[in-house]
Amino acid sequence: MKLDTELKPGDIVLLKGLGCVLIVVLFMQLLIFPGLNKHEDLSASLEAKTAQKQEMEDTIANMPAVEETIAKQEETLKAAQDQYYGLLENQEIDELVTGVVLNHSLFPVSLSIAETGDAVPDAYFLSALAVAADTAENSDPDTATAELDGGEDSGDSADTVTPVYAQYVHITDVSLTVRGSEDMIRSFLNDIAVDYPGLQVRSFTMQEGTYLNENLDSVDTTTCSCVIAVYTCGDASSTGEETAQ
């Protein structure tokens, strides 16, 4: 049987129709769809840039408030630092504590300085809580409860009222052993508690004993072992100048 390869008019119309469909599909695949994807990418990029621009504008608009906050923090830090020492090197801490010991005519047996860490005296947390409680009494009852209790979202009440300068307060523990009369040692400990707000006696023990002096005479004396906390205040740019007694 011989195949009829001659195209009929209907076949020609059909082939033309398929060619047009193919052209349309290729046009959409090569031009329309890539253009739509690029448009979506550009739209997302535009949204991101717009959000970034708005954030920068908000930051610039809030700059005066930020500068005012920084200025207040610096004033608060300076006021807090007046009762403490600036950042001190170990040698300066040694000279400070040894100087107090020698002022009371005590004999320094040993002195050990621990690493410096960040810490705030408990008295400041209690003071801050008292201020928050006083403020709460004069405010709305619901607000007062939130300020004192901290709420589920605000966390610990002590953290809520932590002084703004807490991050600038540091502590160095000094383990010290001195020898002298009991009255001299008690005067030494009392002097630190009263006249040195930047120092704090954390613990101490006293033990009586008999020792030989330079002339090999037997002498009854008292040995005191104590831990003294040295509080310093300042940031990395502080000069370490003493600001307390």
Side-chain angles (χ1 to χ4, degrees):
M1 180 178 177
K2 185 178 180 180
L3 296 176
D4 186 7
T5 58
E6 183 178 356
L7 295 176
K8 299 179 180 179
D11 296 334
I12 295 175
V13 173
L14 180 61
L15 288 175
K16 289 181 178 180
L18 292 175
C20 292
V21 172
L22 180 61
I23 291 174
V24 170
V25 171
L26 292 177
F27 179 78
M28 293 182 65
Q29 289 290 340
L30 298 178
L31 296 178
I32 301 299
F33 290 156
L36 292 175
N37 293 334
K38 186 175 181 180
H39 176 73
E40 292 179 357
D41 293 340
L42 290 176
S43 297
S45 177
L46 177 61
E47 291 180 359
K49 295 296 182 182
T50 302
Q52 184 178 5
K53 176 177 176 291
Q54 184 63 42
E55 182 179 355
M56 294 176 64
E57 291 178 349
D58 293 341
T59 301
I60 294 173
N62 293 332
M63 188 64 67
V66 173
E67 292 177 349
E68 182 179 358
T69 301
I70 293 175
K72 289 182 178 179
Q73 289 184 354
E74 290 177 348
E75 293 177 359
T76 305
L77 175 61
K78 185 178 184 302
Q81 191 172 358
D82 288 341
Q83 295 185 357
Y84 295 95
Y85 302 92
L87 297 182
L88 300 175
E89 299 290 340
N90 281 359
Q91 180 180 354
E92 295 173 308
I93 294 176
D94 188 346
E95 294 174 353
L96 170 64
V97 176
T98 303
V100 181
V101 171
L102 296 179
N103 286 341
H104 291 269
S105 301
L106 294 171
F107 178 75
V109 178
S110 65
L111 185 147
S112 175
I113 301 175
E115 293 185 2
T116 299
D118 297 337
V120 178
D122 293 338
Y124 277 92
F125 288 108
L126 297 176
S127 176
L129 285 170
V131 171
D134 182 66
T135 303
E137 289 179 358
N138 299 321
S139 61
D140 182 75
D142 295 336
T143 305
T145 303
E147 290 180 352
L148 290 175
D149 296 339
E152 295 181 357
D153 298 330
S154 60
D156 224 6
S157 58
D159 294 336
T160 305
V161 297
T162 299
V164 68
Y165 48 82
Q167 58 183 317
Y168 301 107
V169 180
H170 317 288
I171 183 175
T172 305
D173 285 337
V174 178
S175 299
L176 175 68
T177 301
V178 296
R179 187 179 298 161
S181 68
E182 182 176 345
D183 291 340
M184 294 164 58
I185 292 176
R186 291 186 182 278
S187 176
F188 162 72
L189 297 175
N190 182 70
D191 191 21
I192 290 180
V194 175
D195 297 326
Y196 290 84
L199 303 180
Q200 180 188 49
V201 178
R202 294 204 156 185
S203 63
F204 72 92
T205 58
M206 291 194 294
Q207 182 179 4
E208 295 182 356
T210 302
Y211 301 89
L212 297 177
N213 61 13
E214 296 177 354
N215 299 324
L216 300 181
D217 295 328
S218 180
V219 178
D220 293 332
T221 185
T222 301
T223 300
C224 175
S225 299
C226 59
V227 177
I228 299 177
V230 180
Y231 286 99
T232 56
C233 188
D235 54 22
S237 62
S238 297
T239 60
E241 180 183 357
E242 292 186 3
T243 58
Q245 287 184 313

